[in-house]
Amino acid sequence: MSAPEPYAALPAASPAPAASPAPAASPAPATIDYPVFFVPALAEAKVSAAKRNRASRIVSLALSGAILGALYWFLGDQLGAVTWPVVAVSLAFPLGSLAWAIIREVAARREASGVPDGLAIGICRDGLLLREGWLPWTEVGALTALNRRFGRSDDLAVTARDGRRVAYPLAYLSGKPATLDGAVRALSGGRFRIDFAKLDV
């Protein structure tokens, strides 16, 4: 199953039948045992790196064009019919690299725009305090690390027992994956851990 678009709020759960109301869930705690924050600066650093990469690809393309222009000026008569094939082959790699760099920069900018400031997840002894609401351990289905394409951050997906799911970018959280896993295992009393198996696929 592909990961849903990250940073989106959990959809509203279907209302329980009026004849059999669900028992009241445990209230959110007043304190958080292990707070995990978004770090927008990390996302902005990735955007800056993508911009530098794109600029270097433009310089590389310009140099390749200048070299080809010089070769054509001095050796154009000798190349004859093979001139344009040589130009096409010589420019294919720098053009492809520039196109890929632009795609990566666009993806980095879009990803950074979805990384807010503040608390991402509060890991507590009684459950998880998400930006979307309180989720007791009894209502947690799974915590899974999911791989994403185009160089985007891997996600930490929290899935409730009723199928609702929300994802957070692992690369832009204040806690390292192993540290988050340890906090989840300790504070859930060993009932849960983060499944990293899909990152190896």
Side-chain angles (χ1 to χ4, degrees), residues 1-123:
M1 179 183 296
S2 60
E5 188 67 15
Y7 330 132
L10 287 167
S14 302
S20 56
S26 60
T31 58
I32 298 173
D33 297 289
Y34 187 84
V36 182
F37 297 94
F38 287 109
V39 187
L42 295 176
E44 292 300 330
K46 186 174 181 178
V47 173
S48 297
K51 289 171 60 178
R52 291 193 299 270
N53 183 51
R54 184 253 301 162
S56 68
R57 298 303 178 185
I58 292 175
V59 172
S60 176
L61 178 60
L63 289 175
S64 297
I67 292 172
L68 286 174
L71 289 175
Y72 180 77
W73 178 264
F74 292 106
L75 302 176
D77 294 338
Q78 300 178 34
L79 292 174
V82 300
T83 299
W84 292 113
V86 168
V87 169
V89 171
S90 299
L91 291 180
F93 179 75
L95 279 172
S97 297
L98 175 59
W100 180 242
I102 293 173
I103 292 173
R104 294 287 295 270
E105 182 182 357
V106 171
R109 288 182 180 277
R110 182 176 180 182
E111 190 173 42
S113 68
V115 181
D117 201 358
L119 183 71
I121 306 172
I123 305 175

Side-chain angles (χ1 to χ4, degrees), residues 168-180:
Y168 300 92
L170 274 170
Y172 311 130
L173 298 179
S174 60
K176 300 297 183 182
T179 306
L180 296 176

Side-chain angles (χ1 to χ4, degrees), residues 8 18 60 62 92 134 148 151 164 192:
S60 176
W134 171 245
R148 302 181 69 214
R164 295 175 296 163
F192 292 95

Side-chain angles (χ1 to χ4, degrees), residues 130-199:
L130 309 175
R131 291 177 67 89
E132 295 74 18
W134 171 245
L135 192 66
W137 290 120
T138 54
E139 296 181 17
V140 175
L143 292 96
T144 310
L146 302 174
N147 194 8
R148 302 181 69 214
R149 298 182 183 276
F150 298 111
R152 293 177 293 180
S153 166
D154 297 328
D155 276 345
L156 172 60
V158 181
T159 305
R161 288 187 180 276
D162 59 11
R164 295 175 296 163
R165 183 165 66 177
V166 65
Y168 300 92
L170 274 170
Y172 311 130
L173 298 179
S174 60
K176 300 297 183 182
T179 306
L180 296 176
D181 183 43
V184 166
R185 284 191 289 176
L187 294 172
S188 70
R191 288 175 290 178
F192 292 95
R193 62 169 301 170
I194 301 175
D195 181 6
F196 293 101
K198 293 186 178 180
L199 295 186

